[in-house]
Amino acid sequence: MFPLRRFCHQSNRIMAGVMKHVTDYSISKGRGSNVEVAGQSGGNGNSHSESLMVLVLLNYRLPRFTPLLWSQACLRVCADGGANRLYDELPKFFPRDDPDVVRLRHKPDVIKGDLDSIRADVRDYYSKLGTTIIDQSHDQDTTDLHKCMRFIKDSTPELDKTQIKVLVVGALGGRFDHEAANINVLWTFANSMRIVLLSEESTLSLLPTGYVHEIQVDPSFEGPHCGLVPIGAPSLSTTTTGLHWNLDQTPMSFGSLISTCNILDSDVVTVVSDVHLLWTTELRYEP
Protein backbone atom coordinates (compact mmCIF):
# COMPACT_ATOMS: atom_id res chain seq x y z
CA MET A 1 0.00 0.00 0.00
CA PHE A 2 1.15 3.51 -0.76
CA PRO A 3 1.82 5.58 2.40
CA LEU A 4 -0.97 8.05 1.57
CA ARG A 5 -1.00 10.01 4.82
CA ARG A 6 2.73 10.51 4.73
CA PHE A 7 2.69 12.14 1.31
CA CYS A 8 -0.66 13.93 1.18
CA HIS A 9 1.12 17.15 2.18
CA GLN A 10 4.38 16.53 0.34
CA SER A 11 6.27 19.75 -0.37
CA ASN A 12 3.45 21.66 1.35
CA ARG A 13 1.12 20.82 -1.56
CA ILE A 14 -2.21 19.35 -0.44
CA MET A 15 -3.18 16.31 -2.50
CA ALA A 16 -6.71 16.34 -3.94
CA GLY A 17 -6.99 12.57 -3.49
CA VAL A 18 -6.20 9.40 -5.39
CA MET A 19 -6.35 9.40 -9.20
CA LYS A 20 -6.56 5.88 -10.59
CA HIS A 21 -5.15 4.93 -13.99
CA VAL A 22 -6.19 1.50 -15.27
CA THR A 23 -5.02 -0.13 -18.48
CA ASP A 24 -8.54 -1.26 -19.35
CA TYR A 25 -7.92 -1.46 -23.08
CA SER A 26 -6.09 -4.34 -24.73
CA ILE A 27 -3.80 -4.97 -27.68
CA SER A 28 -4.23 -8.72 -27.29
CA LYS A 29 -6.88 -10.77 -29.08
CA GLY A 30 -7.28 -13.03 -26.07
CA ARG A 31 -8.92 -10.43 -23.84
CA GLY A 32 -12.50 -9.23 -24.09
CA SER A 33 -15.25 -10.56 -26.36
CA ASN A 34 -15.22 -7.60 -28.73
CA VAL A 35 -11.45 -7.78 -29.10
CA GLU A 36 -11.66 -11.33 -30.37
CA VAL A 37 -13.79 -10.28 -33.34
CA ALA A 38 -11.83 -7.16 -34.18
CA GLY A 39 -11.23 -8.32 -37.72
CA GLN A 40 -14.83 -9.30 -38.25
CA SER A 41 -16.79 -6.15 -37.48
CA GLY A 42 -16.59 -2.55 -36.42
CA GLY A 43 -17.34 -3.38 -32.80
CA ASN A 44 -19.51 -1.40 -30.40
CA GLY A 45 -17.07 -0.73 -27.61
CA ASN A 46 -15.17 -2.94 -25.24
CA SER A 47 -17.36 -4.79 -22.76
CA HIS A 48 -14.57 -5.31 -20.20
CA SER A 49 -13.47 -1.66 -20.09
CA GLU A 50 -14.12 0.54 -17.07
CA SER A 51 -14.00 3.61 -19.35
CA LEU A 52 -15.71 4.83 -22.48
CA MET A 53 -13.02 4.48 -25.12
CA VAL A 54 -12.49 7.04 -27.85
CA LEU A 55 -9.94 6.34 -30.59
CA VAL A 56 -8.17 9.18 -32.41
CA LEU A 57 -6.01 8.49 -35.48
CA LEU A 58 -3.22 10.92 -36.38
CA ASN A 59 -1.28 11.25 -39.61
CA TYR A 60 1.60 8.92 -38.82
CA ARG A 61 2.22 5.19 -39.15
CA LEU A 62 -0.55 3.26 -37.39
CA PRO A 63 0.35 0.48 -34.92
CA ARG A 64 -0.55 -3.00 -36.08
CA PHE A 65 -2.92 -3.32 -33.11
CA THR A 66 -5.06 -0.38 -34.31
CA PRO A 67 -7.93 -2.70 -35.38
CA LEU A 68 -8.04 -4.13 -31.87
CA LEU A 69 -8.37 -0.66 -30.34
CA TRP A 70 -10.95 0.21 -33.00
CA SER A 71 -13.16 -2.67 -31.81
CA GLN A 72 -13.01 -1.39 -28.23
CA ALA A 73 -13.92 2.24 -29.02
CA CYS A 74 -17.37 3.79 -28.92
CA LEU A 75 -16.24 6.80 -31.00
CA ARG A 76 -13.59 6.90 -33.75
CA VAL A 77 -12.14 10.22 -34.88
CA CYS A 78 -9.55 10.95 -37.57
CA ALA A 79 -7.47 14.08 -37.20
CA ASP A 80 -7.21 15.43 -40.75
CA GLY A 81 -4.56 13.30 -42.54
CA GLY A 82 -5.23 10.46 -40.11
CA ALA A 83 -8.03 9.61 -42.54
CA ASN A 84 -5.40 8.92 -45.22
CA ARG A 85 -3.67 6.49 -42.84
CA LEU A 86 -6.95 4.75 -42.11
CA TYR A 87 -7.80 4.44 -45.78
CA ASP A 88 -4.32 3.30 -46.89
CA GLU A 89 -3.00 1.24 -43.97
CA LEU A 90 -5.96 -0.57 -42.39
CA PRO A 91 -6.47 -2.91 -45.39
CA LYS A 92 -2.82 -4.00 -45.08
CA PHE A 93 -3.58 -5.42 -41.62
CA PHE A 94 -6.09 -7.81 -43.25
CA PRO A 95 -4.25 -9.14 -46.33
CA ARG A 96 -6.80 -11.91 -46.93
CA ASP A 97 -9.73 -9.51 -47.07
CA ASP A 98 -10.90 -7.27 -49.87
CA PRO A 99 -9.55 -3.73 -49.16
CA ASP A 100 -12.93 -2.11 -49.80
CA VAL A 101 -14.61 -4.48 -47.34
CA VAL A 102 -12.02 -3.58 -44.70
CA ARG A 103 -12.59 0.14 -45.31
CA LEU A 104 -16.35 -0.30 -44.96
CA ARG A 105 -15.81 -2.08 -41.63
CA HIS A 106 -13.67 0.80 -40.39
CA LYS A 107 -15.62 3.94 -41.22
CA PRO A 108 -14.68 6.83 -38.89
CA ASP A 109 -17.45 8.70 -37.12
CA VAL A 110 -15.76 12.08 -37.49
CA ILE A 111 -12.89 13.66 -39.45
CA LYS A 112 -11.80 17.00 -38.01
CA GLY A 113 -8.95 19.44 -38.55
CA ASP A 114 -7.84 22.21 -40.83
CA LEU A 115 -8.10 19.60 -43.61
CA ASP A 116 -4.88 20.58 -45.33
CA SER A 117 -3.57 16.98 -45.32
CA ILE A 118 -6.53 14.76 -46.16
CA ARG A 119 -6.56 13.75 -49.82
CA ALA A 120 -9.54 14.73 -51.91
CA ASP A 121 -10.33 11.12 -52.84
CA VAL A 122 -10.26 10.04 -49.18
CA ARG A 123 -12.46 12.93 -48.10
CA ASP A 124 -14.96 12.14 -50.83
CA TYR A 125 -14.94 8.42 -49.98
CA TYR A 126 -15.75 8.87 -46.29
CA SER A 127 -18.18 11.71 -46.96
CA LYS A 128 -20.24 9.37 -49.15
CA LEU A 129 -20.20 6.76 -46.35
CA GLY A 130 -21.74 9.28 -43.97
CA THR A 131 -18.73 10.32 -41.90
CA THR A 132 -19.10 13.77 -40.34
CA ILE A 133 -16.36 16.05 -41.68
CA ILE A 134 -15.61 19.23 -39.75
CA ASP A 135 -13.48 21.88 -41.46
CA GLN A 136 -11.69 24.16 -39.01
CA SER A 137 -9.24 25.69 -41.44
CA HIS A 138 -9.99 29.12 -39.92
CA ASP A 139 -8.17 28.00 -36.75
CA GLN A 140 -4.40 27.91 -37.31
CA ASP A 141 -3.49 28.37 -33.64
CA THR A 142 -4.23 24.81 -32.51
CA THR A 143 -3.17 21.40 -33.81
CA ASP A 144 -5.51 18.88 -35.38
CA LEU A 145 -5.26 16.72 -32.23
CA HIS A 146 -6.25 19.70 -30.09
CA LYS A 147 -9.24 20.31 -32.36
CA CYS A 148 -10.30 16.66 -31.99
CA MET A 149 -9.93 16.77 -28.21
CA ARG A 150 -12.07 19.90 -28.06
CA PHE A 151 -14.71 18.14 -30.18
CA ILE A 152 -14.72 15.11 -27.87
CA LYS A 153 -15.01 17.30 -24.79
CA ASP A 154 -17.73 19.56 -26.18
CA SER A 155 -19.81 16.74 -27.71
CA THR A 156 -20.13 14.84 -24.41
CA PRO A 157 -21.25 17.54 -21.93
CA GLU A 158 -23.40 15.10 -19.95
CA LEU A 159 -20.56 12.67 -19.24
CA ASP A 160 -17.98 12.72 -16.47
CA LYS A 161 -14.80 13.28 -18.48
CA THR A 162 -12.79 11.14 -16.05
CA GLN A 163 -14.80 8.18 -17.40
CA ILE A 164 -13.67 8.87 -20.96
CA LYS A 165 -10.33 7.51 -22.09
CA VAL A 166 -8.94 8.86 -25.36
CA LEU A 167 -6.44 6.57 -27.08
CA VAL A 168 -4.38 8.40 -29.71
CA VAL A 169 -2.50 6.32 -32.29
CA GLY A 170 0.11 7.70 -34.66
CA ALA A 171 1.05 10.14 -31.89
CA LEU A 172 4.66 9.06 -31.30
CA GLY A 173 7.45 8.78 -33.85
CA GLY A 174 8.01 10.85 -36.94
CA ARG A 175 8.72 14.56 -36.66
CA PHE A 176 9.73 15.65 -33.18
CA ASP A 177 7.83 18.95 -33.38
CA HIS A 178 4.66 16.92 -33.97
CA GLU A 179 5.43 14.79 -30.92
CA ALA A 180 6.04 17.91 -28.84
CA ALA A 181 2.71 19.35 -29.97
CA ASN A 182 0.95 16.11 -29.00
CA ILE A 183 2.58 16.22 -25.56
CA ASN A 184 1.42 19.83 -25.23
CA VAL A 185 -2.15 18.62 -25.73
CA LEU A 186 -1.70 16.38 -22.66
CA TRP A 187 -0.94 19.54 -20.66
CA THR A 188 -3.85 21.49 -22.19
CA PHE A 189 -6.41 18.88 -21.11
CA ALA A 190 -4.55 17.70 -17.99
CA ASN A 191 -7.43 18.09 -15.57
CA SER A 192 -10.34 17.38 -17.89
CA MET A 193 -9.54 14.34 -20.07
CA ARG A 194 -7.70 11.03 -19.75
CA ILE A 195 -5.46 10.80 -22.83
CA VAL A 196 -2.99 8.05 -23.78
CA LEU A 197 -0.61 8.56 -26.70
CA LEU A 198 0.45 5.29 -28.33
CA SER A 199 2.96 3.95 -30.78
CA GLU A 200 3.65 0.29 -31.44
CA GLU A 201 6.46 0.42 -28.87
CA SER A 202 5.20 2.60 -26.03
CA THR A 203 2.48 4.56 -24.26
CA LEU A 204 2.66 8.11 -22.93
CA SER A 205 0.28 9.88 -20.56
CA LEU A 206 0.30 12.73 -18.07
CA LEU A 207 0.14 12.50 -14.28
CA PRO A 208 -1.20 15.88 -13.08
CA THR A 209 0.23 17.26 -9.88
CA GLY A 210 -2.01 17.47 -6.83
CA TYR A 211 -2.92 13.77 -6.76
CA VAL A 212 -1.63 10.48 -5.49
CA HIS A 213 -1.57 8.45 -8.71
CA GLU A 214 -2.38 4.75 -8.57
CA ILE A 215 -1.41 3.15 -11.88
CA GLN A 216 -2.61 -0.37 -12.66
CA VAL A 217 -0.67 -1.75 -15.62
CA ASP A 218 -1.42 -4.84 -17.70
CA PRO A 219 1.69 -7.04 -17.50
CA SER A 220 0.48 -9.17 -20.40
CA PHE A 221 1.62 -6.46 -22.81
CA GLU A 222 3.01 -3.53 -20.77
CA GLY A 223 6.56 -3.30 -19.47
CA PRO A 224 8.92 -4.22 -18.09
CA HIS A 225 10.46 -0.84 -18.95
CA CYS A 226 8.84 2.42 -17.87
CA GLY A 227 9.75 6.01 -17.07
CA LEU A 228 8.79 9.23 -15.30
CA VAL A 229 9.85 12.53 -16.86
CA PRO A 230 9.30 16.05 -15.43
CA ILE A 231 9.23 17.76 -18.81
CA GLY A 232 7.17 20.83 -17.91
CA ALA A 233 9.18 21.98 -14.90
CA PRO A 234 11.78 20.55 -12.51
CA SER A 235 10.44 18.36 -9.73
CA LEU A 236 11.71 19.09 -6.25
CA SER A 237 10.13 15.96 -4.80
CA THR A 238 8.74 12.78 -6.41
CA THR A 239 7.95 9.55 -4.57
CA THR A 240 6.99 6.17 -6.04
CA THR A 241 6.26 2.58 -5.14
CA GLY A 242 6.14 -0.47 -7.42
CA LEU A 243 9.28 0.35 -9.43
CA HIS A 244 12.65 -1.38 -9.40
CA TRP A 245 14.32 1.97 -8.70
CA ASN A 246 11.81 3.82 -6.55
CA LEU A 247 12.04 7.53 -5.83
CA ASP A 248 11.77 8.83 -2.26
CA GLN A 249 11.06 12.57 -2.27
CA THR A 250 13.67 12.68 -5.04
CA PRO A 251 14.30 15.79 -7.15
CA MET A 252 14.25 15.35 -10.93
CA SER A 253 15.12 17.73 -13.76
CA PHE A 254 16.79 17.82 -17.16
CA GLY A 255 20.51 18.19 -16.69
CA SER A 256 20.21 16.00 -13.59
CA LEU A 257 18.30 12.83 -12.68
CA ILE A 258 15.20 11.76 -14.61
CA SER A 259 13.64 8.34 -14.13
CA THR A 260 14.06 6.77 -17.57
CA CYS A 261 14.78 3.07 -18.21
CA ASN A 262 13.11 2.14 -14.94
CA ILE A 263 11.48 -1.28 -14.53
CA LEU A 264 8.07 -2.33 -13.24
CA ASP A 265 8.32 -4.41 -10.07
CA SER A 266 4.56 -4.56 -9.52
CA ASP A 267 1.28 -4.45 -11.45
CA VAL A 268 0.38 -1.39 -9.37
CA VAL A 269 2.61 1.70 -9.32
CA THR A 270 1.98 4.75 -7.16
CA VAL A 271 3.37 8.20 -7.88
CA VAL A 272 3.11 11.56 -6.13
CA SER A 273 4.98 14.65 -7.30
CA ASP A 274 5.03 18.41 -6.95
CA VAL A 275 4.82 18.87 -10.76
CA HIS A 276 3.11 17.30 -13.76
CA LEU A 277 4.99 14.17 -14.89
CA LEU A 278 5.00 12.20 -18.10
CA TRP A 279 4.46 8.47 -17.50
CA THR A 280 5.57 6.02 -20.19
CA THR A 281 5.46 2.25 -20.46
CA GLU A 282 6.94 -0.15 -22.97
CA LEU A 283 4.47 -2.09 -25.14
CA ARG A 284 5.03 -5.66 -26.27
CA TYR A 285 2.81 -6.47 -29.23
CA GLU A 286 2.75 -10.02 -30.57
CA PRO A 287 0.71 -10.33 -33.78
Side-chain angles (χ1 to χ4, degrees), residues 234-263:
S235 169
L236 299 179
S237 181
T238 297
T239 299
T240 66
T241 67
L243 302 180
H244 187 72
W245 291 284
N246 278 310
L247 306 173
D248 186 2
Q249 301 188 43
T250 306
M252 292 194 297
S253 65
F254 279 92
S256 182
L257 172 72
I258 58 174
S259 184
T260 57
C261 297
N262 214 322
I263 294 175

Side-chain angles (χ1 to χ4, degrees), residues 58 79-81 112-117 142-149:
L58 302 188
D80 197 356
K112 185 174 183 179
D114 62 7
L115 305 186
D116 64 341
S117 299
T142 62
T143 65
D144 289 328
L145 176 57
H146 185 285
K147 292 177 175 65
C148 290
M149 293 304 305

